Amino acid sequence: MMGGSNTMFRLASATALAAALTACAAVDKEAASAHTAAPVTTAKPAPPNPAEIAANELGLVPVLMYHQVAPNPAGEYDQTPAEFRDELERLYREGYRPVTAAQYISGDLDLPAGTHPVVLTFDDSTGSQLSFTDSGAVAPDSAAGILAEFGARYPDFRPVATFYVNNEPFGGDPRALPWLVSQGHEIGAHTADHANLASLDADNVQRELVQNVRAVTTAAPGVTVRTMALPLGIFPRDHALATAGSWDGTPYRFDAVMLVGSNPAPAPYGAVDPGGVPRIRSGRGAVPFDSAYWLDWLAANPDQRYTADGDPARISFTQQRATELDVRWQDRANPY
């Protein structure tokens, strides 16, 4: 009996110990659970009252046009790397934030309150706009390299642009278009051979654009070419063919056609003509109605400039401008 009692005692002790350990584990688990921090989510601050920042999302948008960025500019549309850096500094200092041409024309403008959209466009796909060093890095004094470096210094600038390319762009370097896409840039059409479209018949106008679109989408699979810029600023005789057409079984349709103009563009929510969006020249020295002229004018007339309200779900403007809003955007209207 004594041996049996000892056995029973040991079994009882073991059972009690197991229960105690289980209870301790449960307590530890509860304690650990209690001390596990819940995921912290930072709510995006509510946008300010549009009236407090004089929001005007029916104001003018500068669409700047560049060609060469080179140490010795040859044409009036060209700049030195130093001039281009200076212009970016001015844009940043004055509250401009870049968007692509496709984002502009579609009204896809999600900008911080109080800032202004600017569209940076580059024509002709030259090596001064994008090239690579022997190590495979983007050349630091190319336009794309300068933009990348500027964005690294000012993370709230989002250094995106729209590059209007011909066939064999950037010296035919196969790395170029995929790199642009990876950086958030837009690739637009500029015809296969930089053709004067007014000199071509309808079939050849469409051939120039289809071959250009095919070249882009082959080099950068998955890209949709949404906008185009007219070479030399010249329309085909049938203006409609600049926007849409078809050749050899391949159709094309662009959301916007960019001009070689000399004034800011209307807001995308107002009286903009997608078939002819004006651009502002930015080039060597001072030329009439260039980027410096219009940036000065917009700074002196801030009520005419597009100023974001910080909420992409609404379009804010003063009551006096209510009639300027296109009917397509009425459901987002926020007059004050």
Side-chain angles (χ1 to χ4, degrees):
M1 284 295 293
M2 185 63 92
S5 296
N6 288 339
T7 300
M8 293 295 291
F9 177 77
R10 286 194 297 273
L11 287 172
S13 298
T15 302
L17 179 61
L21 290 172
T22 300
C24 287
V27 171
D28 289 345
K29 186 176 181 180
E30 287 181 15
S33 178
H35 288 288
T36 300
V40 177
T41 55
T42 303
K44 186 177 180 180
N49 183 329
E52 294 175 356
I53 58 170
N56 178 17
E57 295 181 313
L58 291 176
L60 298 171
V61 177
V63 181
L64 305 184
M65 180 184 69
Y66 302 93
H67 282 68
Q68 298 268 14
V69 177
N72 299 300
E76 65 177 281
Y77 300 152
D78 302 340
Q79 283 189 342
T80 67
E83 287 171 330
F84 183 49
R85 288 187 174 95
D86 287 346
E87 187 146 89
L88 292 179
E89 289 282 357
R90 176 177 184 174
L91 291 170
Y92 181 77
R93 187 171 62 248
E94 296 184 4
Y96 288 95
R97 297 297 180 265
V99 299
T100 65
Q103 289 171 324
Y104 156 76
I105 200 63
S106 64
D108 181 18
L109 304 182
D110 186 359
L111 298 170
T115 63
H116 323 291
V118 61
V119 186
L120 309 176
T121 67
F122 294 86
D123 290 9
D124 301 347
S125 53
T126 62
S128 75
Q129 295 172 9
L130 174 59
S131 58
F132 298 87
T133 66
D134 291 341
S135 67
V138 172
D141 273 352
S142 68
I146 292 168
L147 276 169
E149 187 274 334
F150 195 85
R153 279 197 290 127
Y154 301 105
D156 59 333
F157 189 71
R158 189 171 176 259
V160 296
T162 300
F163 289 82
Y164 290 109
V165 306
N166 306 113
N167 287 18
E168 299 294 320
F170 310 108
D173 194 319
R175 298 169 293 181
L177 297 193
W179 186 89
L180 288 174
V181 174
S182 75
Q183 301 302 302
H185 299 295
E186 177 190 0
I187 302 172
H190 201 46
T191 74
D193 303 305
H194 202 270
N196 177 345
L197 295 179
S199 69
L200 303 178
D201 62 22
D203 186 63
N204 279 306
V205 167
Q206 293 168 94
R207 175 189 55 78
E208 277 282 340
L209 289 166
V210 166
Q211 288 181 341
N212 191 209
V213 170
R214 284 177 178 173
V216 170
T217 55
T218 298
V223 165
T224 299
V225 181
R226 295 180 54 190
T227 65
M228 73 88 74
L230 294 166
L232 312 172
I234 299 175
F235 275 100
R237 282 169 279 177
D238 180 353
H239 284 204
L241 292 179
T243 299
S246 178
W247 181 81
D248 191 32
T250 300
Y252 64 88
R253 177 173 292 276
F254 303 119
D255 297 343
V257 175
M258 297 289 164
L259 305 175
V260 177
S262 58
N263 53 280
Y269 315 120
V272 62
D273 175 9
V277 177
R279 294 189 289 171
I280 298 168
R281 295 174 295 173
S282 190
R284 181 186 62 187
V287 295
F289 304 107
D290 66 355
S291 57
Y293 171 90
W294 281 112
L295 290 176
D296 287 346
W297 188 90
L298 290 168
N301 298 274
D303 60 314
Q304 299 299 310
R305 177 174 56 185
Y306 185 117
T307 298
D309 69 0
D311 184 352
R314 67 187 187 186
I315 301 168
S316 295
F317 47 87
T318 61
Q319 291 280 0
Q320 294 91 326
R321 288 183 173 268
T323 58
E324 298 176 25
L325 184 68
D326 190 276
V327 294
R328 297 173 300 144
W329 303 99
Q330 288 292 344
D331 61 333
R332 288 169 54 183
N334 184 48
Y336 64 89

